[in-house]
Amino acid sequence: MKLKHIHSDPEILGGKPCIKGTRISVELILETIANGASITDIVQEFPKLSPEAVQEAVLYAVSVLRDEIVIEVKSVA
């Protein structure tokens, strides 16, 4: 996946994926969407963001989860 807007730098937010040129993390964008905000709402709240950058943040999160390996762990009682 070629990312135009997402960047990770250990010197910025401890390496969390962010929108390039900002300290706005993919995590913050997802949390804002989860709380009911639309892409338009997010762009209005964070004028440095474009709708494309917000959409790419969501697509980035999807790609990370797609590659996640889930291992079932059963507790022993």
Side-chain angles (χ1 to χ4, degrees), residues 6 19 24-46 49-62:
I6 308 299
I19 304 299
I24 301 169
S25 67
V26 170
E27 177 185 8
L28 176 62
I29 291 171
L30 294 176
E31 184 176 18
T32 304
I33 291 170
N35 285 321
S38 67
I39 290 176
T40 302
D41 296 334
I42 294 169
V43 171
Q44 287 175 350
E45 185 172 344
F46 303 101
L49 298 183
S50 67
E52 295 81 15
V54 175
Q55 186 173 15
E56 189 174 288
V58 174
L59 291 172
Y60 170 80
V62 167

